[in-house]
Amino acid sequence: FSRQKCPVLVKMGIKGLHTILNSSESKYINRRAIGENAPSNAVAAEHCLPGGWPQQMKGQIVGVDVSVLLHRLFGGKHTVHKLVSVNPDNSVYPLVSRTMNMFFKTHCLREAAGIVFVHDPKLVANFHCENCRAAYDDFMETKYELTRRTVQRLQRQQRIAEWEQRVEVLHSTQDANVKLALERELQESFDGVFKGADVVTQSVHDAFVKWVHDYVSQVVSARPVAIKTNRVLVSDMSRYPLMVCVNSPVEADDQLAYFQRCGFIDHILTVDSDLLAMGCFNIITKGFGINKPATIRGYTESSVVARLEVLFGVDTKHLHVQPSAVQLGWMRGLLCLFSCIVGNDYIVGALGPERGGLDALETFVRGKCSDGDCYRWEVTNADVTKVARDTWATATANTRKLKFMRKYHSEEAYRDAFETAFNIYYVGRYWRFKPGTDIEKLKHNFKDFAMGHNVSLECHGKVHPLLCDGAAVPVSTFYVQCPSHMDQRMAKDIDFRKFPAAVLPDVVLAWWLMARGCEIDDDVDRNSLLRLVPLFQHTPCYSEQQFKTTFSTVLYPMLQLTAHVPCVAWLPDATVWTLNADPTQTQDLKPLKSALSHCDFSVSGGSKHSANDTIKAEATARDGQVVWNPLVVKTGDIKVRDGEQSAIQFVLQCVPSFKSELYSVELVFSKRGRHHQMLLNDTLSYCTCKRGAVNASTCSHRRAVFIWLHNLHVLWESHPRMASANLAGAKNLFELVCLLKLSRPVLDVSTLPLSVPQVLKVYKMAQNQRCWSNEDEESLRGEIEQYLRDPDPSQGLQQVLGTCKKLLHANNSGAFPWYKSPMGAMMGMLILDHFSDETNAAS
């Protein structure tokens, strides 16, 4: 099963067109041409474009087929493809955003004048009318049948069904060796089985649209700043071009083709040969690498026309006297006829490109040129009907055309299909600018087009069954709307029954663990990765705010999160009160009390805190993790945008629960509105932890310091000994904290060794919400000194092993499941690693 090969996908487009346009074989380039100036051979139409990406993009309006781009960037073995293969609804916005930023940079798209991304209406889910929706379904049914997309989908479903059957066998197998072999087999076959899965899912499409809209917002915001400051930096986004996502009535190909034919778009990025038959001769087809783009290759008007002159036997002595537009239209008509003869997305080929296709078209061209002086440079309906009849006669004379004969049972059926396919390519199905639109002006002012200003379009395309030709196209239908919300968490949900962890790629498991707050280093081996999955399998996914502000070196650059470091501009007359670190010295506490009385602690700024965050912050403040030595209070006026404002700043420190760092917390209170007291200003406040630097609402340290200051203020005001103005009985803050029974800083004892009984004693005090007193501290220090004088390492080791056994028993019995918290899961992994013998006995 693991060596089973997947069928090769049938390429859509015109059969053999790239080959005949670029092959150097004599049967293509040495064909008999008419005219004294006819070349004896012709170079390939596709060639290296001069100047590379910078020169080709500079100052140009670029059109992009979104489906083609997403397949090229995210197909194959890309992480996005693997994630949507496991769960099509997985959010992939961070990865799509990072990849598109790299593509934008490496392909010099910042040099363009504007970029138009054209979408198919299926994923946009926005059709012009019900008739257009029905026409789309009709066209796609024909296209999928002829290009074997329907057969491919059934084959892919069969491969996935067989793979799932093997997964069920894996679940039911008890033999360890057989199970290991099956896991290895399924893992190796994962890429092959899901290789053909459609990468352009709704989640990938929405992530791309969100990236475009976020990018445009940044560019639009940067331009007024650049104009106001009268300077533009090299890396300033104000220099970057605008992008826009637009819809199409049926397929993006038709809309892109119209944009280039009318002169609005200069270049098109695509690999689909259909665009050539639709009259797009300036297209880029190769060089879409991300990290290091390959040599840029594509077609130009001159190269395509020169090649087609030879292939189709066009009399070249007439070409130089004809207008360019007429000449290009003539070549386009010939390409449309050729595509219908050899086969395209909407008709089965009657003749092969090499065997009869070129001969049939050359015969038609000679017949058109045999009218003496009447050289008609267009393909009429009568010409289409005649070519269809002649092709039918030639094809039916060959008894080996089984597929062709099974599809078309009569000449009339073939002729109708031929004419419909020709009209699809030649007439087109697109939305056009209304008559009178100054396209050159709109192109020059691309911002108007990107923002939907003065843009009027109407339906065009008399191809059956489209029946709304000439109807107006609403702006809301033409422009693709941005998704209202985009989840940053990737690989949130995985059905491990359908996709066991042992058969999934490492990158999928790594992102699944990341969604639960567990970041994996690049050098972690697969076995360690697989051992982590069961520990987190029942751990709930992080909230979006938690996920965005995890201590992750991977997410920060990917999500483009930057630390917010506020700048508080104090006026010179500000006063500063600093705590005297000597507990024996007397210090005036009036400035501190005055500052607290001017602050309103009933409102905690503009941030909303969850119940869990509040509980954690209250525990942090109660357990002595707020370090108030040193303490700085600054009072005065600060400069703001509207002038000056009164403010008070408290500078303290906070000790995190599971880290050795010491975070500095600065809380700034300022006047707001009609409040007579100052309110917490989240914008000017700051914490040096990563979460606090990015988002105030997820920082428990700020909240803990706020609660500690609030408790100090309330207890100070309500204490009977502190009510008088002279503050009798409190010569400094150290003594005041003892009198108010506030928590002593945990740093006083956190660096000292504690025995298990002492830890339990502290834990019980915290459970009873008791604050430390001087007697508790003296008792604890005495026990520590006794513990240090008479150490017993063996006893401590036995206590640790006994605690591990109890934890294992509690986990196995369900009394204390490890999965309830990431820290518990990590602790369980450490126990399993370092006490394997003991755990086996306990199990």
Side-chain angles (χ1 to χ4, degrees):
F1 177 78
S2 61
R3 294 188 297 271
Q4 179 181 354
K5 293 184 178 180
C6 300
V8 179
L9 295 177
V10 179
K11 293 183 179 180
M12 294 186 294
I14 302 172
K15 184 179 179 181
L17 184 59
H18 280 306
T19 303
I20 67 170
L21 286 178
N22 302 300
S23 177
S24 59
E25 296 183 33
S26 58
K27 58 184 176 183
Y28 298 123
I29 63 175
N30 290 329
R31 298 183 59 81
R32 183 163 56 88
I34 302 176
E36 57 185 10
N37 297 324
S40 59
N41 54 43
V43 296
E46 184 185 66
H47 59 281
C48 293
L49 300 177
W53 285 100
Q55 183 173 330
Q56 294 298 321
M57 295 295 103
K58 190 174 182 62
Q60 303 293 299
I61 303 294
V62 182
V64 183
D65 186 335
V66 172
S67 295
V68 172
L69 180 67
L70 296 183
H71 274 105
R72 297 288 291 185
L73 295 183
F74 303 110
K77 296 184 178 181
H78 197 279
T79 303
V80 168
H81 185 243
K82 295 178 180 180
L83 288 174
V84 298
S85 297
V86 174
N87 185 355
D89 297 328
N90 269 330
S91 173
V92 290
Y93 173 71
L95 280 174
V96 170
S97 178
R98 182 179 68 175
T99 304
M100 290 308 305
N101 286 331
M102 294 172 60
F103 179 80
F104 184 82
K105 179 180 179 180
T106 55
H107 293 74
C108 302
L109 292 178
R110 68 181 63 177
E111 303 294 336
I115 303 171
V116 181
F117 294 107
V118 183
H119 299 245
D120 293 332
K122 178 181 178 181
L123 289 175
V124 178
N126 192 1
F127 290 86
H128 174 261
C129 59
E130 289 302 320
N131 175 63
C132 289
R133 185 188 298 272
Y136 173 85
D137 294 337
D138 185 77
F139 284 130
M140 292 302 105
E141 182 181 0
T142 302
K143 179 175 180 177
Y144 287 1
E145 178 187 357
L146 297 184
T147 58
R148 294 180 57 82
R149 289 278 291 274
T150 304
V151 175
Q152 294 166 14
R153 184 180 292 111
L154 293 175
Q155 291 175 343
R156 182 169 64 249
Q157 292 174 355
Q158 182 180 356
R159 294 197 308 272
I160 294 175
E162 293 176 357
W163 193 82
E164 291 175 347
Q165 290 176 2
R166 301 291 286 176
V167 171
E168 291 300 324
V169 174
L170 173 65
H171 288 309
S172 61
T173 301
Q174 301 298 327
D175 188 291
N177 294 328
V178 176
K179 198 178 187 72
L180 185 62
L182 279 173
E183 289 175 350
R184 187 180 298 110
E185 176 185 337
L186 289 168
Q187 181 197 354
E188 293 174 353
S189 63
F190 181 88
D191 288 337
V193 171
F194 294 95
K195 182 179 181 181
D198 188 8
V199 69
V200 191
T201 62
Q202 192 68 51
S203 62
V204 176
H205 177 268
D206 291 347
F208 174 81
V209 175
K210 176 66 174 173
W211 171 79
V212 173
H213 280 261
D214 289 349
Y215 162 88
V216 171
S217 298
Q218 295 177 31
V219 173
V220 172
S221 300
R223 288 186 175 182
V225 176
I227 295 173
K228 187 176 181 180
T229 57
N230 198 25
R231 64 174 185 172
V232 177
L233 302 177
V234 175
S235 60
D236 191 358
M237 291 197 69
S238 63
R239 300 177 61 251
Y240 292 179
L242 289 176
M243 299 179 183
V244 61
C245 292
V246 300
N247 196 7
S248 59
V250 180
E251 291 189 84
D253 296 347
D254 302 69
Q255 195 64 45
L256 281 169
Y258 165 72
F259 280 148
Q260 188 171 92
R261 291 199 305 271
C262 74
F264 183 70
I265 280 179
D266 300 305
H267 289 297
I268 295 177
L269 305 185
T270 185
V271 295
D272 199 341
S273 59
D274 287 337
L275 271 298
L276 291 167
M278 293 178 180
C280 300
F281 295 160
N282 290 318
I283 62 177
I284 298 172
T285 56
K286 290 184 176 64
F288 297 116
I290 299 177
N291 296 325
K292 187 178 181 181
T295 303
I296 180 173
R297 298 180 64 87
Y299 296 88
T300 59
E301 288 183 356
S302 57
S303 67
V304 173
V305 170
R307 183 79 176 192
L308 293 181
E309 290 173 5
V310 176
L311 292 174
F312 297 157
V314 177
D315 191 346
T316 56
K317 69 180 181 180
H318 296 284
L319 293 180
H320 66 280
V321 299
Q322 297 298 329
S324 176
V326 177
Q327 175 183 340
L328 295 175
W330 166 244
M331 290 298 179
R332 176 186 167 216
L334 296 181
L335 267 178
C336 290
L337 283 176
F338 178 77
S339 71
C340 294
I341 294 172
V342 303
N344 54 42
D345 292 346
Y346 296 95
I347 189 172
V348 177
L351 304 174
E354 307 170 5
R355 301 178 180 178
L358 289 174
D359 293 332
L361 197 62
E362 185 177 353
T363 301
F364 165 74
V365 172
R366 289 182 179 178
K368 293 284 289 185
C369 298
S370 62
D371 297 335
D373 295 334
C374 183
Y375 195 96
R376 293 171 297 176
W377 292 76
E378 62 179 357
V379 179
T380 63
N381 293 334
D383 294 333
V384 177
T385 302
K386 181 179 183 303
V387 172
R389 288 174 176 171
D390 294 343
T391 304
W392 169 265
T394 305
T396 53
N398 188 346
T399 58
R400 293 179 295 177
K401 293 287 183 179
L402 299 180
K403 179 181 177 182
F404 175 78
M405 298 301 296
R406 284 196 301 267
K407 179 63 180 176
Y408 307 109
H409 302 289
S410 65
E411 178 183 334
E412 183 181 1
Y414 175 71
R415 188 173 68 250
D416 290 343
F418 193 99
E419 292 173 354
T420 300
F422 179 83
N423 286 331
I424 289 175
Y425 282 85
Y426 193 72
V427 177
R429 308 152 299 178
Y430 53 86
W431 295 325
R432 65 183 177 185
F433 296 115
K434 285 189 175 180
T437 302
D438 190 341
I439 297 178
E440 282 298 323
K441 181 180 179 181
L442 190 63
K443 180 179 179 180
H444 179 71
N445 299 320
F446 185 79
K447 182 179 179 180
D448 291 343
F449 177 80
M451 298 300 172
H453 300 158
N454 303 320
V455 178
S456 300
L457 297 107
E458 63 182 15
C459 298
H460 174 76
K462 299 180 180 179
V463 183
H464 182 77
L466 284 176
L467 303 174
C468 52
D469 185 54
V473 179
V475 173
S476 59
T477 303
F478 180 65
Y479 291 97
V480 179
Q481 303 301 314
C482 179
S484 57
H485 174 71
M486 187 60 60
D487 198 338
Q488 304 280 1
R489 297 166 294 176
M490 297 183 291
K492 251 193 337 183
D493 303 309
I494 295 178
D495 184 356
F496 284 106
R497 179 69 188 179
K498 183 178 179 181
F499 296 95
V503 306
L504 288 175
D506 292 357
V507 67
V508 175
L509 296 175
W511 280 114
W512 180 84
L513 288 169
M514 178 75 82
R516 283 144 184 83
C518 179
E519 182 176 359
I520 305 301
D521 295 332
D522 294 335
D523 56 351
V524 173
D525 61 277
R526 182 171 177 81
N527 290 332
S528 300
L529 192 63
L530 292 176
R531 291 170 61 189
L532 279 172
V533 173
L535 300 176
F536 286 87
Q537 197 156 351
H538 300 284
T539 302
C541 184
Y542 266 22
S543 67
E544 289 192 66
Q545 291 294 341
Q546 288 176 319
F547 184 75
K548 288 170 61 177
T549 56
T550 54
F551 294 87
S552 170
T553 56
V554 176
L555 287 178
Y556 262 65
M558 183 178 295
L559 301 182
Q560 297 183 334
L561 297 174
T562 56
H564 168 70
V565 182
C567 178
V568 182
W570 292 92
L571 295 180
D573 58 348
T575 59
V576 179
W577 181 87
T578 304
L579 173 65
N580 189 339
D582 188 355
T584 63
Q585 298 294 322
T586 303
Q587 186 176 18
D588 185 10
L589 299 181
K590 290 181 181 179
L592 175 60
K593 186 174 184 181
S594 175
L596 292 172
S597 63
H598 283 84
C599 298
D600 187 353
F601 292 98
S602 62
V603 182
S604 59
S607 300
K608 295 182 179 180
H609 302 270
S610 65
N612 290 335
D613 291 337
T614 302
I615 293 174
K616 180 180 179 181
E618 290 175 348
T620 301
R622 183 188 67 241
D623 295 342
Q625 292 176 240
V626 174
V627 181
W628 45 266
N629 181 18
L631 169 62
V632 178
V633 181
K634 200 168 187 177
T635 306
D637 295 332
I638 59 175
K639 291 182 179 180
V640 294
R641 182 176 300 179
D642 301 330
E644 299 177 0
Q645 194 175 72
S646 299
I648 297 175
Q649 183 186 57
F650 298 91
V651 182
L652 296 86
Q653 293 177 313
C654 193
V655 181
S657 301
F658 297 102
K659 288 184 177 289
S660 59
E661 291 92 347
L662 194 61
Y663 297 136
S664 176
V665 179
E666 302 173 5
L667 296 186
V668 177
F669 293 78
S670 61
K671 294 287 289 184
R672 188 183 310 169
R674 298 181 179 180
H675 285 82
H676 66 281
Q677 286 184 303
M678 298 186 187
L679 302 179
L680 179 63
N681 191 322
D682 279 327
T683 304
L684 297 180
S685 300
Y686 180 66
C687 177
T688 55
C689 74
K690 290 186 177 181
R691 291 189 182 184
V694 175
N695 195 321
S697 63
T698 60
C699 178
S700 61
H701 310 118
R702 292 196 201 189
R703 181 67 175 163
V705 171
F706 180 88
I707 293 173
W708 189 88
L709 290 173
H710 174 254
N711 293 338
L712 174 63
H713 173 61
V714 171
L715 295 174
W716 199 345
E717 293 291 339
S718 60
H719 198 280
R721 292 182 58 183
M722 299 296 116
S724 60
N726 57 7
L727 305 177
K731 66 178 182 180
N732 55 35
L733 186 59
F734 296 91
E735 187 171 333
L736 176 65
V737 168
C738 292
L739 289 172
L740 299 180
K741 295 184 178 180
L742 287 172
S743 302
R744 300 297 299 273
V746 73
L747 288 182
D748 288 349
V749 292
S750 62
T751 56
L752 297 177
L754 295 176
S755 65
V756 173
Q758 294 159 358
V759 172
L760 293 176
K761 180 179 180 180
V762 175
Y763 175 70
K764 289 178 180 178
M765 290 172 57
Q767 271 191 325
N768 297 328
Q769 297 188 358
R770 275 190 55 208
C771 297
W772 290 7
S773 64
N774 291 340
E775 293 78 10
D776 294 328
E777 183 177 348
E778 292 176 1
S779 174
L780 185 61
R781 289 185 182 276
E783 293 176 4
I784 292 172
E785 292 174 0
Q786 179 63 31
Y787 172 69
L788 293 176
R789 284 196 298 267
D790 187 22
D792 187 355
S794 62
Q795 181 183 2
L797 178 60
Q798 293 303 318
Q799 289 176 335
V800 171
L801 290 175
T803 303
C804 292
K805 289 181 182 181
K806 291 179 180 179
L807 285 172
L808 281 170
H809 179 71
N811 177 71
N812 295 336
S813 64
F816 177 67
W818 293 343
Y819 63 81
K820 283 192 173 182
S821 69
M823 293 304 301
M826 294 298 295
M827 182 174 63
M829 184 190 69
L830 293 174
I831 293 174
L832 293 175
D833 276 344
H834 299 289
F835 303 102
S836 56
D837 295 337
E838 298 292 336
T839 57
N840 291 334
S843 300

